[in-house]
Amino acid sequence: MEIAIIMFDDYETLDVFGPAEIFGRLTDIYNLKFYSLKGGVISNRHGVPIMTEKLEIINSIPEIVLIPGGWGTRKEVDNLLLIDKIKELAQSSNYVLTVCTGSALLAKSGLLNGKKATSNKRAFAWVASQNQNVDWNKKARWAIDGKYYTSSGVSAGMDMTLGFLADRHGIDFARKVAKEIEYNWIEDKDNDSFVVE
Amino acid sequence: MEIAIIMFDDYETLDVFGPAEIFGRLTDIYNLKFYSLKGGVISNRHGVPIMTEKLEIINSIPEIVLIPGGWGTRKEVDNLLLIDKIKELAQSSNYVLTVCTGSALLAKSGLLNGKKATSNKRAFAWVASQNQNVDWNKKARWAIDGKYYTSSGVSAGMDMTLGFLADRHGIDFARKVAKEIEYNWIEDKDNDSFVVE
C-alpha cells in the first residue's frame, strides 16, 4: 500500500517522521512516498530538508494519504492548489491520516464536514475556525470517522498510527511494533492527557 | 550551538527525527545540520530521503554531535573513514549524543572506552561485541558519562534528548518542551521498561 505524504514548507518534523518510522519499518505492507506541489527539497524552521516528488506526477491513487501539520499550515490553508490536490487524493484513497494542524488542511477541503475530527490542543481554536461544519473533538488523542483518522499534536501522530495498525492488523501487531521502537504507546484514543481546558 | 547529525545509508528514521524535532524547535539555542561522508541525498529502508552536506566541508567544530542508529550501522562499524571522522568530531565537540545502535559507531572510535554507555535492548549483544572495553549498561533508558550521552532504541532518543535539555536548561524547561510536542516523556534514565532479560 502506498502512503503519500503531503509535504509543504515549514511542516512539523515529528508529524511526518513519527508515522514514517512506524509505517516505514513495515516494508512488506507499506511504501512511503513524499510529495509536494513544487517537488524537490522541502524544509522547515527546524532545518530538516527532505526530498520530495511533484504531486502532479502521482500516477496511481495512493491507498493512504498522510497530511502533517506545522506552522506552514497557517499559510497553506489559503493555498487553493494544495487544498484541491488534497481533496482529489483524499477522495480517491482508502484512508486519510492527519497529524496536528494537518486536520486544518483536510477540513478546508470540505471532506471533514459533519465528521468527527481532532487536532493539536494548543492550536485548537485556530484549526476549528477553519471549518465549523466539522464535529471537532477537543478530548481525543486521535479521532476516527470512517476512512478519516485525525490526531492531536506532534507525538500523537505516532499513537494514531499505531492505532491505525491495530485497526488493520490487530492490537497484538500494533503492540509488537511499538515494542520494536521502544515506544510507550498511548492506546486510548479518547482521552488525551494534553487537553487544554 | 550547532548540532551535527551524522547520516549514513539505512539510518533509523526516528533516531534522527525524534531528537531533530526537540532540538529543532529551539531555534534560539540550537541549529541542526545534516552531514554524511558523500553528501547529497541519504535514504534508508523506510524510504526517507534527507539532504545532507559533505562531512569534509565542516569548517567549524560543532558543539554537539548526534549519531543515529539503524541497520546501516552493521555496515558502517567497518567504515574506517566514517569512524575516523566521528572520532575527530566527537573529540572536539562539547557533547556527543548517540541513539540506538549509534553507540556501536562511537564505541568503535574508542572514545567510549572505560565509559558508561547503553544501546538498543534488542541489539545489545551485537553492539557490546563491537567494543568490550566500554562499561555497557543494559538497564538504562539512556546513560551519561561526562560529555557522552547514549540512548536505548529509537524512541529512547527523544527521552535522552529531553534529559539532555533538562541537564542544560533545567527540568521545567525540558518538561515544557515535552508538553509542547504532547509527548509523554520518560524522565527516569536508569530504568528502561524495554529491558530484555
Side-chain angles (χ1 to χ4, degrees):
Chain A
M1 287 203 253
E2 181 175 317
I3 302 175
I5 304 180
I6 311 299
M7 305 292 291
F8 44 83
D9 289 329
D10 215 359
Y11 68 94
E12 186 77 24
T13 302
L14 195 65
D15 290 13
V16 172
F17 300 109
E21 167 71 42
I22 295 168
F23 282 128
R25 60 178 30 244
L26 304 168
T27 47
D28 292 351
I29 315 172
Y30 300 105
N31 176 30
L32 302 181
K33 299 279 272 181
F34 294 86
Y35 294 102
S36 65
L37 277 184
K38 64 181 183 182
V41 175
I42 295 289
S43 193
N44 61 11
R45 68 184 62 193
H46 299 174
V48 179
I50 181 92
M51 277 300 293
T52 66
E53 294 176 54
K54 275 196 175 190
L55 267 168
E56 67 191 37
I57 66 145
I58 292 190
N59 46 24
S60 64
I61 299 298
E63 281 83 0
I64 300 170
V65 176
L66 175 68
I67 307 168
W71 282 103
T73 59
R74 306 267 169 163
K75 186 174 160 202
E76 301 299 341
V77 286
D78 296 319
N79 183 344
L80 294 184
L81 267 177
L82 182 66
I83 301 298
D84 278 355
K85 197 70 194 175
I86 283 174
K87 184 171 183 176
E88 177 195 329
L89 291 174
Q91 277 181 315
S92 316
S93 66
N94 297 346
Y95 298 102
V96 184
L97 280 59
T98 72
V99 182
C100 198
T101 52
S103 54
L105 300 179
L106 186 58
K108 269 284 187 178
S109 77
L111 293 176
L112 287 179
N113 285 9
K115 296 193 186 301
K116 283 179 289 185
T118 195
S119 191
N120 188 319
K121 299 308 183 292
R122 301 167 73 82
F124 211 89
W126 176 78
V127 171
S129 74
Q130 298 306 306
N131 187 338
Q132 293 175 5
N133 298 314
V134 178
D135 181 8
W136 293 108
N137 180 338
K138 261 184 138 164
K139 287 210 184 302
R141 183 77 173 159
W142 71 96
I144 309 172
D145 196 324
K147 74 182 197 180
Y148 297 101
Y149 281 64
T150 54
S151 91
S152 188
V154 198
S155 308
M158 299 182 66
D159 299 313
M160 173 187 72
T161 301
L162 289 163
F164 179 85
L165 292 185
D167 295 344
R168 304 283 89 66
H169 312 288
I171 186 88
D172 289 343
F173 182 92
R175 283 177 181 157
K176 182 168 167 287
V177 173
K179 197 172 171 188
E180 281 171 10
I181 61 167
E182 301 189 359
Y183 181 67
N184 282 296
W185 177 28
I186 299 170
E187 296 188 7
D188 182 0
K189 72 178 175 56
D190 295 319
N191 290 294
D192 189 354
S193 60
F194 296 97
V195 169
V196 178
E197 297 298 343
Chain B
M1 286 203 254
E2 181 175 316
I3 301 176
I5 305 181
I6 311 300
M7 304 293 291
F8 43 83
D9 290 330
D10 216 0
Y11 67 94
E12 185 78 23
T13 303
L14 196 65
D15 289 13
V16 172
F17 301 109
E21 167 71 42
I22 295 167
F23 282 127
R25 60 178 30 245
L26 304 168
T27 47
D28 291 350
I29 315 173
Y30 299 106
N31 176 29
L32 302 181
K33 298 280 271 181
F34 294 87
Y35 294 102
S36 66
L37 276 184
K38 63 182 182 182
V41 175
I42 295 289
S43 193
N44 61 11
R45 66 184 63 192
H46 298 173
V48 179
I50 181 93
M51 278 299 294
T52 66
E53 294 176 55
K54 275 196 173 187
L55 267 167
E56 66 191 38
I57 65 143
I58 292 189
N59 46 23
S60 63
I61 299 299
E63 280 83 0
I64 300 171
V65 176
L66 175 68
I67 306 167
W71 282 104
T73 59
R74 306 268 169 162
K75 186 173 161 203
E76 301 300 341
V77 286
D78 296 320
N79 182 344
L80 294 184
L81 266 178
L82 182 66
I83 301 298
D84 278 355
K85 198 69 195 175
I86 284 174
K87 184 170 183 177
E88 177 193 330
L89 291 174
Q91 277 180 313
S92 316
S93 66
N94 297 346
Y95 298 102
V96 183
L97 280 60
T98 73
V99 181
C100 197
T101 52
S103 54
L105 300 178
L106 185 59
K108 269 285 187 178
S109 76
L111 292 176
L112 288 179
N113 285 9
K115 296 193 186 300
K116 284 178 287 183
T118 194
S119 191
N120 188 318
K121 299 306 183 292
R122 302 167 72 83
F124 211 89
W126 176 77
V127 171
S129 75
Q130 298 306 306
N131 187 338
Q132 294 173 4
N133 297 315
V134 178
D135 179 9
W136 293 109
N137 179 338
K138 261 184 139 166
K139 289 210 184 299
R141 183 77 174 161
W142 72 95
I144 308 171
D145 196 324
K147 74 181 197 180
Y148 297 101
Y149 280 65
T150 55
S151 91
S152 188
V154 198
S155 309
M158 298 181 68
D159 298 313
M160 173 187 71
T161 301
L162 289 164
F164 179 84
L165 292 185
D167 294 345
R168 303 282 90 65
H169 311 288
I171 186 87
D172 289 343
F173 182 92
R175 284 177 180 157
K176 181 168 168 287
V177 172
K179 198 172 171 188
E180 280 170 11
I181 61 167
E182 301 190 359
Y183 181 67
N184 281 296
W185 177 27
I186 300 169
E187 297 187 6
D188 182 0
K189 72 178 176 56
D190 295 319
N191 291 294
D192 189 354
S193 60
F194 296 96
V195 169
V196 178
E197 296 297 345

